[in-house]
């Protein structure tokens, strides 16, 4: 590994300088083979959910907004060849599209007191940034593209681990806030900013990192990730032109950790950037369902309970999900009226599984949510706090389901903490590709989608990273 960023005997005083030293020095050869493979899986997944997101109403609104800004065309938008945007706007579009379905991957926490699954969605902000910035100048090699992406994910994940969990628990949306640092680090690496300028780019990100959970269930939530992608690019481009920011803005009394998180524990990550890479350890969760990872074990449990007992929707009298507040508080809607609310509504998520046996692109539509069958089934599903599950730890996403049938029978099942898609039970490469194909169905022909997949698996061999967007946008 490159000695330029490996800390030997002493640790740096500031998280800002440690993150900047890593991001400015890391090279392709420093990325272990397993981390590289996971990074490619994340790019496949991230690009797939971006393309799926372009069909959502929020992107139609964004397209109308972006066509009024009059920016000099410099970068293409993923999945919309007609839009010609600035690099910052392209990053905004990509980030919005990547999170609008809430189908993008999730960082896994290391610390037992960190709210499991509630750190960041790590891939989309740095991926949005490098896709946009690769459009500028004479082109970026595939190796620099994926190295910059990995650098952004690493910085984002380590900062998310360091900040006090109150940052999320009190209402900040980390993918919008901490995602900005991932986008800035990836952008700085792609632009080849030196260590001091990279630290300043992180300083600029600190002044732009925002997003509150009050907007969950609206277009505001994915907008947070669009802005985190855009703001990281903006900060790095400003610094490249000579704009100045504080180069220790993560640290100290008025630094981001203190202001936005009641402090933190930077010592947990100091000297550990790239040692190991967070993509490999503790890893990331690639979502089988387009909703918060906290809901996935319960959805899988509902599906298994229905199958194991031969139940049909007509059999269901009532469903009760027992869980701790780490699940119940974020999943905030009693019943859903829109697909955006449905992502934060256990009654809808379980109803989708009950009614169709799945919860994918076809089910996350306003039409399905508002159908009489779905509205009726949601009324039959309720949630309850379970102190025994709570006592097992806030870092566990556990639940149990109790089903009462119309014939009077009761069935119960406990969720498995080796949830599907997580590092302990990951989707196979084939399943990741199948998810990509589901995402792009009706958007890319199968032959074109296969070419895109092959390009990502061999991204380090691409002389110009723009080839990827060429093949995505046709």
């Amino acid at each position: 590994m490159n000695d330029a960023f490996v800390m030997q005997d002493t640790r740096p005083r500031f998280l800002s300088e440690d993150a900047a030293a890593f991001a400015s020095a890391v090279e392709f050869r420093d990325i272990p083979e397993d981390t590289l493979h996971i990074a490619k899986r994340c790019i496949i997944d991230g690009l797939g959910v971006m393309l799926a997101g372009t069909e959502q109403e929020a992107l139609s609104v964004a397209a109308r907004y972006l066509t009024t800004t009059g920016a000099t065309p410099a970068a293409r938008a993923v999945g919309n060849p007609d839009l010609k945007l600035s690099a910052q706007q392209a990053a905004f579009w990509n980030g919005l599209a990547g999170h609008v379905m809430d189908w993008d991957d999730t960082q896994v926490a290391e610390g037992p007191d960190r709210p499991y699954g509630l750190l960041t969605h790590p891939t989309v902000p740095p991926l949005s940034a490098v896709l946009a910035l690769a459009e500028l100048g004479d082109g970026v090699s595939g190796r620099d593209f994926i190295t910059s992406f990995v650098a952004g994910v690493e910085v984002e994940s380590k900062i998310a681990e360091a900040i006090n969990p109150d940052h999320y628990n009190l209402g900040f949306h980390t993918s919008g806030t901490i995602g900005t640092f991932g986008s800035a680090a990836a952008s700085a690496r792609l632009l080849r900013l030196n260590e001091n300028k990279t630290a300043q780019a992180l300083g600029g990100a600190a002044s732009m990192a925002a997003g509150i959970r009050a907007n969950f269930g609206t277009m505001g939530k994915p907008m947070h990730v669009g802005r985190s992608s855009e703001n990281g690019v903006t900060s790095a481009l400003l610094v490249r032109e000579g704009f100045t920011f504080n180069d220790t803005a993560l640290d100290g009394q008025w630094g981001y950790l203190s202001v936005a998180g009641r402090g933190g524990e930077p010592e947990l990550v100091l000297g550990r950037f790239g040692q190991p890479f967070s993509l490999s350890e503790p890893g990331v969760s690639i979502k089988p369902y387009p909703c918060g990872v906290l809901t996935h074990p319960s959805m899988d449990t509902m599906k298994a309970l229905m199958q194991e007992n031969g139940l049909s929707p007509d059999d269901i009298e009532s469903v009760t999900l027992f869980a701790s507040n780490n699940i119940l508080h974020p999943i905030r809607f009693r019943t859903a009226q829109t697909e955006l609310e449905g992502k934060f509504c256990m009654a809808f998520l379980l109803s989708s599984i009950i009614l169709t046996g799945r919860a994918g692109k076809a089910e996350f539509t306003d039409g399905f949510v508002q159908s009489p069958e779905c509205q009726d089934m949601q009324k039959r599903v309720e949630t309850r706090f379970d102190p025994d599950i709570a006592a097992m730890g806030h870092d566990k996403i556990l639940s149990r389901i109790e089903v009462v049938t119309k014939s009077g029978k009761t069935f119960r099942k406990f969720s498995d903490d080796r949830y599907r898609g997580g590092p302990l039970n990951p989707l196979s490469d084939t399943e990741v590709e199948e998810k990509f194909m589901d995402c792009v169905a009706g958007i890319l022909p199968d032959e074109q989608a296969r070419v895109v997949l092959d390009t990502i698996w061999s991204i380090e061999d691409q002389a110009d990273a723009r080839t990827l967007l060429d093949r995505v946008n046709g």
Side-chain angles (χ1 to χ4, degrees), residues 157-330:
S157 298
K158 289 294 197 287
I159 293 173
E161 192 71 41
I163 200 167
N164 191 304
D166 278 350
H167 179 73
Y168 183 91
N169 293 333
L170 293 177
F172 281 106
H173 178 203
T174 44
S175 298
T177 56
I178 310 302
T180 309
F181 297 105
S183 175
S187 299
R189 170 59 181 74
L190 200 73
L191 296 172
R192 287 294 190 173
L193 301 185
N194 64 23
E195 181 178 336
N196 178 258
K197 288 185 178 295
T198 298
Q200 290 194 47
L202 295 175
S207 281
M208 292 187 271
I212 59 172
R213 288 167 58 194
N215 271 313
F216 281 19
T218 74
M219 294 179 186
K221 182 177 189 282
M223 186 276 292
H224 296 161
V225 180
R227 291 290 285 177
S228 72
S229 304
E230 176 185 6
N231 288 338
V233 170
T234 299
S235 184
L237 288 173
L238 282 171
V239 170
R240 186 181 69 169
E241 297 304 317
F243 209 91
T244 62
F245 295 103
N246 188 311
D247 59 6
T248 57
L250 286 168
D251 307 276
Q253 179 183 359
W254 295 321
Y256 194 82
L257 265 64
S258 292
V259 172
R262 294 189 180 183
E265 298 177 87
E267 61 274 10
L268 294 177
V269 301
L270 285 172
R272 295 185 53 238
F273 285 88
Q275 300 182 71
F277 284 85
S278 293
L279 280 168
S280 294
E281 188 181 331
V284 293
S285 168
I286 292 182
K287 293 182 176 182
Y289 303 118
C291 50
V293 70
L294 292 172
T295 66
H296 293 187
S298 301
M299 295 166 74
D300 280 343
T301 302
M302 187 77 246
K303 185 174 183 177
L305 192 151
M306 295 284 291
Q307 292 174 339
E308 290 168 3
N309 297 287
L311 299 177
S312 73
D314 291 338
D315 295 321
I316 303 300
E317 177 64 29
S318 67
V319 176
T320 305
L321 178 127
F322 298 86
S324 180
N325 285 332
N326 63 337
I327 294 176
L328 300 181
H329 280 177

Side-chain angles (χ1 to χ4, degrees), residues 10-267:
T10 61
R11 290 186 173 184
R13 180 181 175 188
F14 295 117
L15 180 59
S16 300
E17 67 183 18
D18 197 9
F22 165 78
S24 61
V26 65
E27 297 289 349
F28 179 80
R29 63 178 177 271
D30 299 318
I31 304 173
E33 198 63 37
D34 68 309
T35 304
L36 182 64
H37 185 79
I38 295 169
K40 291 176 182 179
R41 286 165 51 94
C42 290
I43 293 172
I44 288 170
D45 187 60
L47 195 54
V49 298
M50 284 181 193
L51 286 163
T54 62
E55 296 184 311
Q56 299 295 304
E57 177 61 22
L59 274 294
S60 298
V61 176
R64 294 196 296 272
Y65 157 70
L66 290 168
T67 56
T68 69
T69 59
T72 300
R76 293 169 291 175
V78 167
N80 192 330
D82 296 328
L83 274 180
K84 299 297 187 291
L85 307 170
S86 68
Q88 297 94 317
Q89 290 172 328
F92 171 80
W93 170 274
N94 298 342
L96 177 67
H99 193 58
V100 71
M101 294 192 72
D102 218 324
W103 214 353
D104 45 330
D105 58 13
T106 305
Q107 177 188 353
V108 175
E110 285 188 282
D113 62 338
R114 268 39 183 175
Y116 192 84
L118 299 179
L119 294 180
T120 69
H121 295 275
T123 284
V124 169
L127 179 58
S128 298
V130 295
L131 282 166
L133 287 175
E135 297 277 281
L136 304 183
D138 297 326
V140 171
S141 72
R143 288 192 172 203
D144 275 341
F145 178 92
I146 195 167
T147 302
S148 300
F149 166 72
V150 170
V153 171
E154 179 68 0
V155 168
E156 178 182 353
S157 298
K158 289 294 197 287
I159 293 173
E161 192 71 41
I163 200 167
N164 191 304
D166 278 350
H167 179 73
Y168 183 91
N169 293 333
L170 293 177
F172 281 106
H173 178 203
T174 44
S175 298
T177 56
I178 310 302
T180 309
F181 297 105
S183 175
S187 299
R189 170 59 181 74
L190 200 73
L191 296 172
R192 287 294 190 173
L193 301 185
N194 64 23
E195 181 178 336
N196 178 258
K197 288 185 178 295
T198 298
Q200 290 194 47
L202 295 175
S207 281
M208 292 187 271
I212 59 172
R213 288 167 58 194
N215 271 313
F216 281 19
T218 74
M219 294 179 186
K221 182 177 189 282
M223 186 276 292
H224 296 161
V225 180
R227 291 290 285 177
S228 72
S229 304
E230 176 185 6
N231 288 338
V233 170
T234 299
S235 184
L237 288 173
L238 282 171
V239 170
R240 186 181 69 169
E241 297 304 317
F243 209 91
T244 62
F245 295 103
N246 188 311
D247 59 6
T248 57
L250 286 168
D251 307 276
Q253 179 183 359
W254 295 321
Y256 194 82
L257 265 64
S258 292
V259 172
R262 294 189 180 183
E265 298 177 87
E267 61 274 10

